[in-house]
Amino acid sequence: MSREPDVGRELALQHGLTGEEYERAVAALGRTPTYTELGIFSVMWSEHCSYKSSRVHLKNLPTEGPRIVQGPGENAGIVDIGSGIAAVFKMESHNHPSYVEPYQGAATGVGGILRDIFTMGARPIASLDSLRFGALDHPRTRYLVGGVVAGIAGYGNSIGVPTVGGEVAFHPSYNGNILVNVFSVGIARRDKIHRGVAAGLANPVIYVGSRTGRDGIHGASRLASSEFDAASESKRPTVQVGDPFTEKLLLEACLEAMKQPGQVVGIQDMGAAGLTCSTVEMAARAGAGMEIDLDNVPLREEGMTPYDIMLSESQERMLLVATPATERRVRDIFEKWDLEASVIGRVTDTGRVKVISKGRIVADMPAEALVDGAPRYRRPSARPAWQETVQALRLQEVPDLADGNEALIRLLAAPNLCSRQAIYQTYDHMVRTNTVVRPGSDAAVIRLKGTERALALAVDCNSRYCHLDPAEGARLAVAEAARNIACAGGVPIGTTDCLNFGNPEKPEVMWQFEESIKGIAEACRALAAPIVGGNVSFYNETEGKSIHPTPTIAVVGLLEDVRGALTQWFRREGDLIFLLGDAEASLAGSEYLALVHGREAGRPAAVELAREMALHEALRGARDAGLIASAHDCSEGGLAFALLECCISGPGGAVGAETRLEGKGRLDALLFGEAPSRVIVSAPPESRARLEHAGGSAGVPVRLLGRVGGIRLTVSVGGTRVVDLDVARARSAWSAALEEHLRG
Amino acid sequence: MKFGIVVFPGSNCDHDVYHVAKHVLGQEAAFLWHKDASFAGIDCVVLPGGFAHGDYLRCGAMARFSPIMKAVEGFAARGGLVFGICNGFQVLAEAGLLPGALVRNAGLQYVCRDVYLRSERQDTPFTARLKQGAVLKIPIGHGEGCYYAPEEMLKELEERRQVVFRYCDAAGQVTAESNPNGSLRSIAGVCNERGNIMGMMPHPDRCAEEVLGSADGRRIFESILHGWQPARRLRI
């Protein structure tokens, strides 16, 4: 073994710690750290692991509710869904690895979030992906889309967890920094839930899963916690390599081990910062200590130093604590699944993590100091000077339309609006046979076998809104995700977020972050969808240029009766079409304005949260009373595009509609303007009176727009036909567009 | 009736088949671990979908060497019913228990969606409740489902009526457009000469209940049940 470098301030700086942070580390230990200890400090106190810039703000998020079993702080959040079962879910980012190595980056993103779910004793039943790429004409975009999508498919399909939905958006602000946010939800019996605690003095600490190699060393600190520059390509070795087959075995073996009560005391996956993070966090959570001997860690290669072993981010590994009585049985289960299981240490009561290698103590650190003792920053924030400029929109400079047909044809093939079928068809979205509403509707619906119930899942964020007005954009993201749940017939029960931002050391970025937190907190409170966990991803910048602020929001909803699940498309000729909510909308920040006029400006229409909630309740009431046949959220692309989607997105083919809109002012705003709190529903004619009455008593406007039928979508305004499209042709163009864009 | 569901490391649809057998059909069901080789009391062995052994080498190429495959062979030789779905079909083809091979989809990509199938014969234990020419709406989910066999073998298969299902359109017409993976002669499922081993790429386990959008797959399982005679239970 080569001699270890001398530890001092200089080396600490090279590890990404600041001078002050190094002093803090020395103070926490009462001496100069060893080389291994310095490595441990640098990853535990990295932005990615410590949340040092975000923690003071995250505490403002609402995290409590009647169904919440476990809020933020564990591997995943837990929400009670009745009958003794709980939904366990979380969303995480894998942005930088996916940019550097798209296939493995995205694949290990899926693997990481799945481990977070099954480590709690839950079987993962569905995943969603929220993906953001640069402009299609950027030279790297197609390569990245291909790699990321193939990586998600490769991992998710192989491990047998369906990918049931998500979102894909293209915008130049992601040219040098794509976003890959992966959500997963699992189901556990409430009495089988496990946590990441190292409890019980002298209990054995067991390492299970893949062997440890040199891959991913400093993934969390150097890759995830710094900006990109020209040299980022050289960080490819910090990206881990995924093996879904091993993870499948690990999943089955862990769930089998956790089935017997008391067999496993605590369990945690080795994700970011690997063995370091799992030992330290498990000890800290239990207020206990841990002593491990690295000689017992199964290694993939020779010559690995204690530093390498502690910092490796090799995938498909877990750390668990059993008892002396259950150790043998646990090891037998892993042996059955042909997995390594090695006792590497014992739980102690010292409050310290002691690491031994070849009979020598290489680290001996207080667990508490590494977790709760991590630095906290309230970084300076300032509203950017350009905020005012982008919010200004002089519509008189934008020519209005005389006819909507041509613009609608452009919108239906636009990268951000066309069908995502080309992507989701490569994901197995049906395995486990629970998928009642498949990808392609507002929310996916997953039935819960053995009950009448189902979960509705949706993930949303319009980062253009967030760029123009971060607080409003965040409120709108929560409102839209919750609205999508309501459209599917569900009641929100919990939220998880993935907060993707630029460099937090820049005051403008910090301001965007603070504003977003404010917006999320308000909306989650008002819509009764508390945050149960999530993740913050800072440093999403390349060459000093930050991405649009992108607080991705995933909301989980509950349906008491799976048969009440709704989809977005029109179902029957002769049904009437209604708009629930106000017809008024704004071109500010709209997809239309960006696509057709190349402008991203204005303040997006604000959401009134009480009205939003009233809409959701009216919608659910109408659904419960059996009044409506379909419901579709009216979002990007406005009312005209939403109507078209209702006509062309059904699995059975296209169906026409004859509609009439009323409105003063600009035609482009009426057709393509965007606004929250609007839903298009279809209903049989006999429902009309009851639907209007229900809307009236809830204070939600109900406007008759027209009737389903025929082979064309027509929209008339003031007696003039402004849209008249053959829906079958529109459907083929909309379905084929993404593949054509990606082929180039 | 008792279904035995083989669990290879990497099987993903084992629980799905179990659910259909146990909760949809109300029959008995048991998992059969790939290292075990006892089929006591089993009336029909199902090899489910998934990625057995990770399928890193070639689909089914490792699984065919699992200890349980010898037992499957013996079970079939004694006339037991063996049903391979998706990866299970790939394993049976690799093991030589069914003719032909499953290769990479013509489109080179994994495809998950509904397709239509035409039932080509009613006189198998797997199709007794399906009229010849019946059309089923059924999901596929595979990257290597393109059925391939040399021309000579294809001719033989047709002569011996071993093609059980073909991809077709909603009206039952076998067309190039309705073939999702480039399978030769649009073959989606085949049986052995004796008719007691059948493999198919589409997933009847994914469409056995109306709530999932189609219950057509249930008819295949009901066919198996329909033809089962308790007195004929094999003694293993």
Side-chain angles (χ1 to χ4, degrees), chain A residues 418-430:
Chain A
C418 64
S419 166
R420 271 59 189 125
Q421 183 185 298
I423 290 177
Y424 66 68
Q425 261 189 10
T426 68
Y427 300 152
D428 187 345
H429 48 265
M430 300 189 214

PDB file of all heavy atoms in Angstrom, chain A residues 418-430:
ATOM      1  N   CYS A 418     -45.925  17.060 -27.865  1.00  0.00           N
ATOM      2  CA  CYS A 418     -46.334  15.870 -28.622  1.00  0.00           C
ATOM      3  C   CYS A 418     -46.349  14.637 -27.717  1.00  0.00           C
ATOM      4  O   CYS A 418     -45.860  14.659 -26.589  1.00  0.00           O
ATOM      5  CB  CYS A 418     -45.415  15.667 -29.820  1.00  0.00           C
ATOM      6  SG  CYS A 418     -43.710  15.331 -29.378  1.00  0.00           S
ATOM      7  N   SER A 419     -46.896  13.563 -28.241  1.00  0.00           N
ATOM      8  CA  SER A 419     -47.037  12.328 -27.454  1.00  0.00           C
ATOM      9  C   SER A 419     -45.687  11.793 -27.002  1.00  0.00           C
ATOM     10  O   SER A 419     -44.709  11.815 -27.737  1.00  0.00           O
ATOM     11  CB  SER A 419     -47.736  11.270 -28.312  1.00  0.00           C
ATOM     12  OG  SER A 419     -47.600  10.006 -27.703  1.00  0.00           O
ATOM     13  N   ARG A 420     -45.645  11.261 -25.797  1.00  0.00           N
ATOM     14  CA  ARG A 420     -44.437  10.654 -25.229  1.00  0.00           C
ATOM     15  C   ARG A 420     -44.384   9.148 -25.462  1.00  0.00           C
ATOM     16  O   ARG A 420     -43.548   8.451 -24.878  1.00  0.00           O
ATOM     17  CB  ARG A 420     -44.380  10.923 -23.719  1.00  0.00           C
ATOM     18  CG  ARG A 420     -43.690  12.206 -23.321  1.00  0.00           C
ATOM     19  CD  ARG A 420     -44.311  13.437 -23.897  1.00  0.00           C
ATOM     20  NE  ARG A 420     -43.462  14.603 -23.646  1.00  0.00           N
ATOM     21  CZ  ARG A 420     -43.002  15.432 -24.583  1.00  0.00           C
ATOM     22  NH1 ARG A 420     -43.330  15.249 -25.849  1.00  0.00           N
ATOM     23  NH2 ARG A 420     -42.233  16.449 -24.267  1.00  0.00           N
ATOM     24  N   GLN A 421     -45.288   8.673 -26.322  1.00  0.00           N
ATOM     25  CA  GLN A 421     -45.397   7.241 -26.563  1.00  0.00           C
ATOM     26  C   GLN A 421     -44.074   6.595 -26.971  1.00  0.00           C
ATOM     27  O   GLN A 421     -43.741   5.507 -26.507  1.00  0.00           O
ATOM     28  CB  GLN A 421     -46.452   7.038 -27.658  1.00  0.00           C
ATOM     29  CG  GLN A 421     -46.746   5.607 -28.000  1.00  0.00           C
ATOM     30  CD  GLN A 421     -47.708   5.544 -29.180  1.00  0.00           C
ATOM     31  OE1 GLN A 421     -48.834   6.026 -29.090  1.00  0.00           O
ATOM     32  NE2 GLN A 421     -47.271   4.972 -30.277  1.00  0.00           N
ATOM     33  N   ALA A 422     -43.303   7.279 -27.818  1.00  0.00           N
ATOM     34  CA  ALA A 422     -42.048   6.694 -28.291  1.00  0.00           C
ATOM     35  C   ALA A 422     -41.123   6.378 -27.118  1.00  0.00           C
ATOM     36  O   ALA A 422     -40.307   5.459 -27.191  1.00  0.00           O
ATOM     37  CB  ALA A 422     -41.355   7.656 -29.253  1.00  0.00           C
ATOM     38  N   ILE A 423     -41.251   7.123 -26.039  1.00  0.00           N
ATOM     39  CA  ILE A 423     -40.421   6.865 -24.857  1.00  0.00           C
ATOM     40  C   ILE A 423     -41.067   5.822 -23.948  1.00  0.00           C
ATOM     41  O   ILE A 423     -40.458   4.812 -23.609  1.00  0.00           O
ATOM     42  CB  ILE A 423     -40.142   8.174 -24.094  1.00  0.00           C
ATOM     43  CG1 ILE A 423     -39.197   9.051 -24.918  1.00  0.00           C
ATOM     44  CG2 ILE A 423     -39.572   7.894 -22.703  1.00  0.00           C
ATOM     45  CD1 ILE A 423     -38.892  10.393 -24.326  1.00  0.00           C
ATOM     46  N   TYR A 424     -42.334   6.029 -23.588  1.00  0.00           N
ATOM     47  CA  TYR A 424     -42.895   5.131 -22.568  1.00  0.00           C
ATOM     48  C   TYR A 424     -43.169   3.721 -23.087  1.00  0.00           C
ATOM     49  O   TYR A 424     -43.284   2.791 -22.295  1.00  0.00           O
ATOM     50  CB  TYR A 424     -44.097   5.750 -21.837  1.00  0.00           C
ATOM     51  CG  TYR A 424     -45.356   6.002 -22.619  1.00  0.00           C
ATOM     52  CD1 TYR A 424     -46.139   4.966 -23.099  1.00  0.00           C
ATOM     53  CD2 TYR A 424     -45.822   7.310 -22.820  1.00  0.00           C
ATOM     54  CE1 TYR A 424     -47.317   5.211 -23.784  1.00  0.00           C
ATOM     55  CE2 TYR A 424     -46.995   7.569 -23.508  1.00  0.00           C
ATOM     56  CZ  TYR A 424     -47.735   6.519 -23.990  1.00  0.00           C
ATOM     57  OH  TYR A 424     -48.897   6.765 -24.660  1.00  0.00           O
ATOM     58  N   GLN A 425     -43.211   3.573 -24.411  1.00  0.00           N
ATOM     59  CA  GLN A 425     -43.354   2.214 -24.947  1.00  0.00           C
ATOM     60  C   GLN A 425     -42.102   1.372 -24.724  1.00  0.00           C
ATOM     61  O   GLN A 425     -42.158   0.153 -24.801  1.00  0.00           O
ATOM     62  CB  GLN A 425     -43.632   2.272 -26.441  1.00  0.00           C
ATOM     63  CG  GLN A 425     -45.089   2.111 -26.736  1.00  0.00           C
ATOM     64  CD  GLN A 425     -45.362   1.937 -28.206  1.00  0.00           C
ATOM     65  OE1 GLN A 425     -44.476   1.747 -29.023  1.00  0.00           O
ATOM     66  NE2 GLN A 425     -46.639   1.999 -28.540  1.00  0.00           N
ATOM     67  N   THR A 426     -40.970   2.043 -24.477  1.00  0.00           N
ATOM     68  CA  THR A 426     -39.755   1.259 -24.227  1.00  0.00           C
ATOM     69  C   THR A 426     -39.608   0.933 -22.744  1.00  0.00           C
ATOM     70  O   THR A 426     -38.665   0.261 -22.348  1.00  0.00           O
ATOM     71  CB  THR A 426     -38.484   1.993 -24.712  1.00  0.00           C
ATOM     72  OG1 THR A 426     -38.271   3.136 -23.881  1.00  0.00           O
ATOM     73  CG2 THR A 426     -38.617   2.445 -26.145  1.00  0.00           C
ATOM     74  N   TYR A 427     -40.519   1.456 -21.919  1.00  0.00           N
ATOM     75  CA  TYR A 427     -40.533   1.121 -20.492  1.00  0.00           C
ATOM     76  C   TYR A 427     -41.599   0.054 -20.256  1.00  0.00           C
ATOM     77  O   TYR A 427     -42.728   0.196 -20.725  1.00  0.00           O
ATOM     78  CB  TYR A 427     -40.928   2.331 -19.635  1.00  0.00           C
ATOM     79  CG  TYR A 427     -40.053   3.547 -19.730  1.00  0.00           C
ATOM     80  CD1 TYR A 427     -40.593   4.813 -19.491  1.00  0.00           C
ATOM     81  CD2 TYR A 427     -38.693   3.458 -20.021  1.00  0.00           C
ATOM     82  CE1 TYR A 427     -39.804   5.954 -19.543  1.00  0.00           C
ATOM     83  CE2 TYR A 427     -37.904   4.590 -20.076  1.00  0.00           C
ATOM     84  CZ  TYR A 427     -38.460   5.843 -19.839  1.00  0.00           C
ATOM     85  OH  TYR A 427     -37.685   6.958 -19.893  1.00  0.00           O
ATOM     86  N   ASP A 428     -41.261  -0.968 -19.511  1.00  0.00           N
ATOM     87  CA  ASP A 428     -42.298  -1.909 -19.096  1.00  0.00           C
ATOM     88  C   ASP A 428     -43.179  -1.187 -18.085  1.00  0.00           C
ATOM     89  O   ASP A 428     -42.751  -0.911 -16.966  1.00  0.00           O
ATOM     90  CB  ASP A 428     -41.664  -3.159 -18.472  1.00  0.00           C
ATOM     91  CG  ASP A 428     -42.701  -4.238 -18.181  1.00  0.00           C
ATOM     92  OD1 ASP A 428     -43.914  -3.922 -18.186  1.00  0.00           O
ATOM     93  OD2 ASP A 428     -42.298  -5.389 -17.938  1.00  0.00           O
ATOM     94  N   HIS A 429     -44.393  -0.826 -18.496  1.00  0.00           N
ATOM     95  CA  HIS A 429     -45.269  -0.102 -17.564  1.00  0.00           C
ATOM     96  C   HIS A 429     -46.404  -0.982 -17.052  1.00  0.00           C
ATOM     97  O   HIS A 429     -47.351  -0.494 -16.451  1.00  0.00           O
ATOM     98  CB  HIS A 429     -45.800   1.197 -18.202  1.00  0.00           C
ATOM     99  CG  HIS A 429     -46.364   1.040 -19.585  1.00  0.00           C
ATOM    100  ND1 HIS A 429     -45.624   1.273 -20.722  1.00  0.00           N
ATOM    101  CD2 HIS A 429     -47.576   0.664 -20.014  1.00  0.00           C
ATOM    102  CE1 HIS A 429     -46.372   1.054 -21.789  1.00  0.00           C
ATOM    103  NE2 HIS A 429     -47.562   0.675 -21.384  1.00  0.00           N
ATOM    104  N   MET A 430     -46.307  -2.291 -17.312  1.00  0.00           N
ATOM    105  CA  MET A 430     -47.416  -3.163 -16.897  1.00  0.00           C
ATOM    106  C   MET A 430     -47.021  -4.276 -15.926  1.00  0.00           C
ATOM    107  O   MET A 430     -47.903  -4.898 -15.340  1.00  0.00           O
ATOM    108  CB  MET A 430     -48.020  -3.809 -18.130  1.00  0.00           C
ATOM    109  CG  MET A 430     -48.568  -2.819 -19.131  1.00  0.00           C
ATOM    110  SD  MET A 430     -49.489  -3.714 -20.388  1.00  0.00           S
ATOM    111  CE  MET A 430     -49.147  -2.723 -21.825  1.00  0.00           C
TER     112      MET A 430
END
